[in-house]
Amino acid sequence: MQINKFKFGILKTGEEVFKYTLKNKDLEISILNYGGIITEIIMPDKDGKNENIVLGYDNILDYEEKAPYFGAITGRVAGRIAKGKFTLEEKAYNLAINNGENNLHGGIKGLDKRIWDVELLEDGIELSYISPHMEEGFPGEVKFKVRYILKGTTLELLYTGIPDEKTLINLTNHTYFNLSGNCKESILNHKLYIDADKVPYLDTGSIPTGELFIVEGTPFDFRTSKNIGKDIGEDDTQLNQTKGYDHPFILNKNKDVEVILDHKASGRAIEIRTDREAVVVYSGNYLGDDEGKLSCGVEAKQHLGVCLETQELPNNINIEEFKSSIYDSKNSYEAKTIFRFKTVGKEVK
Ligand code: G6D
């Protein structure tokens, strides 16, 4: 595998942004030291045509000013924390508020907007960032590391977070996939399979209420692969209030491959394996407001990409029934998600 480093741009702060490209005989993946952003994943279609399958930009200014987390590491805590409030060891915390009355994806300047140190590895890169105590309102200093490992047809994302005191950690990657290649069409004709029986209800602020519903007989049943667009227009309260899918799916954890996204016309597919309890499916419902022109040459529009954000459940610190995301120096955070990229009729080895 080759790893090449390119100058990508300069942030408004004057910090330099570099792009690291991991390339083997079948895949080419580019990652920035800014937010660990995946700017491109280039893979072949069934005719061997190499195209980019993620949404992003070709310049740093658009990432700084317009990106809705395109390709980024999100945290310290992915998803929303209601009103930015939580209590930990009887101490009340107030996080930065950046989405209505809530904290979203780690706050105003979350991990997606930080410059990470980069170390080249034999089969990828390792990004490191030390988040200081009370950054965006989160207690404790946390030493984060995220490894992007390219092995044949798979991209492994390995996350660690070592706090110096009890705190919350729940990371994910917020890449928007579009398997048609270079944004040829929306993701509504992409088929999605998710091995998940239950989904938390969201309130009108997209905060989980704590109550779960069974997907059977609802538009949220992806236990048999179906087009994302098949039921997205149903008159369903949960879909209506988020303009599409924007929900955590609680994985049954009884299969190796728990999520499969595939696109028949191109022959491309992604299989996801994860040690996380859930995957947030976001069908790009709010795209098209002001993201402008993307690196694929197309103006962003609703449902142009789908995010498959493996993580623990959002707002779990405030919901007794949800598994916690509390870690400390003796019980540090570790997470692993593997994306396998396949082309029908040709195992991308
Ligand atoms: C919207 O509700 C969605 C989030 O899930 C998504 O991560 C963000 O847009 C980019 O706020």
Side-chain angles (χ1 to χ4, degrees):
M1 178 185 69
Q2 300 157 1
I3 304 179
N4 291 301
K5 177 180 178 180
F6 305 94
K7 282 183 186 289
F8 189 76
I10 310 269
L11 293 180
K12 292 174 187 166
T13 57
E15 293 164 297
E16 276 205 286
V17 177
F18 297 95
K19 179 175 79 171
Y20 297 81
T21 298
L22 315 180
K23 187 175 168 60
N24 64 17
K25 63 182 176 58
D26 295 292
L27 291 173
E28 182 177 322
I29 299 175
S30 293
I31 302 141
L32 302 182
N33 64 325
Y34 177 65
I37 289 172
I38 296 175
T39 62
E40 284 184 303
I41 297 178
I42 295 172
M43 72 174 285
D45 68 1
K46 62 183 187 299
D47 302 319
K49 189 175 182 197
N50 283 311
E51 296 172 311
N52 180 22
I53 61 161
V54 304
L55 304 191
Y57 296 113
D58 56 11
N59 70 88
I60 194 58
L61 185 62
D62 282 344
Y63 274 114
E64 268 197 298
E65 292 189 341
K66 299 176 183 171
Y69 305 90
F70 284 153
I73 297 167
T74 44
R76 291 193 190 186
V77 174
R80 288 171 175 81
I81 293 177
K83 297 187 172 48
K85 292 182 181 303
F86 66 90
T87 302
L88 197 55
E89 300 199 302
E90 286 152 27
K91 189 161 183 294
Y93 291 91
N94 289 285
L95 300 171
I97 301 298
N98 62 317
N99 183 264
E101 57 181 18
N102 302 314
N103 173 277
L104 175 67
H105 294 338
I108 298 163
K109 191 171 179 182
L111 298 179
D112 62 294
K113 297 179 179 65
R114 302 289 174 178
I115 289 288
W116 293 61
D117 292 329
V118 178
E119 186 187 333
L120 303 190
L121 306 172
E122 197 183 315
D123 48 6
I125 58 172
E126 179 178 80
L127 290 89
S128 306
Y129 176 71
I130 297 176
S131 175
H133 174 58
M134 295 311 286
E135 187 167 73
E136 298 297 306
F138 290 98
E141 174 189 276
V142 182
K143 290 184 173 61
F144 286 107
K145 286 188 184 299
V146 180
R147 287 189 166 199
Y148 292 80
I149 304 294
L150 177 55
K151 283 180 184 165
T153 65
T154 65
L155 173 65
E156 290 184 8
L157 295 181
L158 307 170
Y159 305 85
T160 61
I162 302 173
D164 64 358
E165 65 176 81
K166 216 175 265 283
T167 192
L168 308 184
I169 302 174
N170 181 16
L171 306 185
T172 193
N173 178 275
H174 205 292
T175 293
Y176 291 65
F177 295 104
N178 183 321
L179 299 179
S180 66
N182 297 342
C183 316
K184 281 196 212 61
E185 61 182 73
S186 82
I187 47 93
L188 296 179
N189 282 335
H190 283 43
K191 274 186 166 332
L192 182 61
Y193 161 78
I194 308 173
D195 183 26
D197 297 334
K198 295 176 187 162
V199 171
Y201 281 108
L202 302 182
D203 67 16
T204 52
S206 290
I207 298 284
T209 63
E211 203 191 335
L212 310 180
F213 65 89
I214 304 293
V215 299
E216 177 92 32
T218 80
F220 291 81
D221 191 348
F222 286 94
R223 296 173 301 179
T224 302
S225 182
K226 70 178 180 185
N227 281 355
I228 293 173
K230 179 174 182 295
D231 300 322
I232 199 168
E234 289 293 302
D235 184 15
D236 172 281
T237 309
Q238 287 292 305
L239 283 178
N240 293 342
Q241 65 186 29
T242 49
K243 298 185 184 178
Y245 297 102
D246 192 10
H247 294 71
F249 288 71
I250 299 175
L251 298 168
N252 294 333
K253 306 311 282 179
N254 54 23
K255 287 189 180 166
D256 186 23
V257 176
E258 299 171 283
V259 180
I260 301 173
L261 178 71
D262 83 272
H263 178 249
K264 192 168 170 50
S266 67
R268 295 187 177 107
I270 302 176
E271 293 177 349
I272 301 180
R273 293 167 174 81
T274 185
D275 63 4
R276 299 299 90 187
E277 68 175 330
V279 58
V280 168
V281 176
Y282 171 52
S283 49
N285 312 330
Y286 303 103
L287 286 177
D289 296 345
D290 46 21
E291 298 81 15
K293 195 167 190 175
L294 307 177
S295 54
C296 56
V298 167
E299 288 288 326
K301 61 182 181 190
Q302 191 184 41
H303 305 319
L304 192 62
V306 59
C307 302
L308 302 167
E309 305 159 43
T310 55
Q311 59 191 266
E312 305 312 320
L313 291 175
N315 198 42
N316 58 22
I317 183 65
N318 292 315
I319 300 173
E320 193 68 35
E321 299 76 16
F322 285 5
K323 189 176 135 196
S324 96
S325 294
I326 301 171
Y327 297 91
D328 59 27
S329 54
K330 293 183 181 56
N331 165 39
S332 61
Y333 171 84
E334 281 191 20
K336 182 175 186 177
T337 293
I338 301 173
F339 296 91
R340 175 180 290 284
F341 300 91
K342 300 177 76 169
T343 303
V344 72
K346 181 162 114 35
E347 169 63 20
V348 181
K349 295 183 183 48

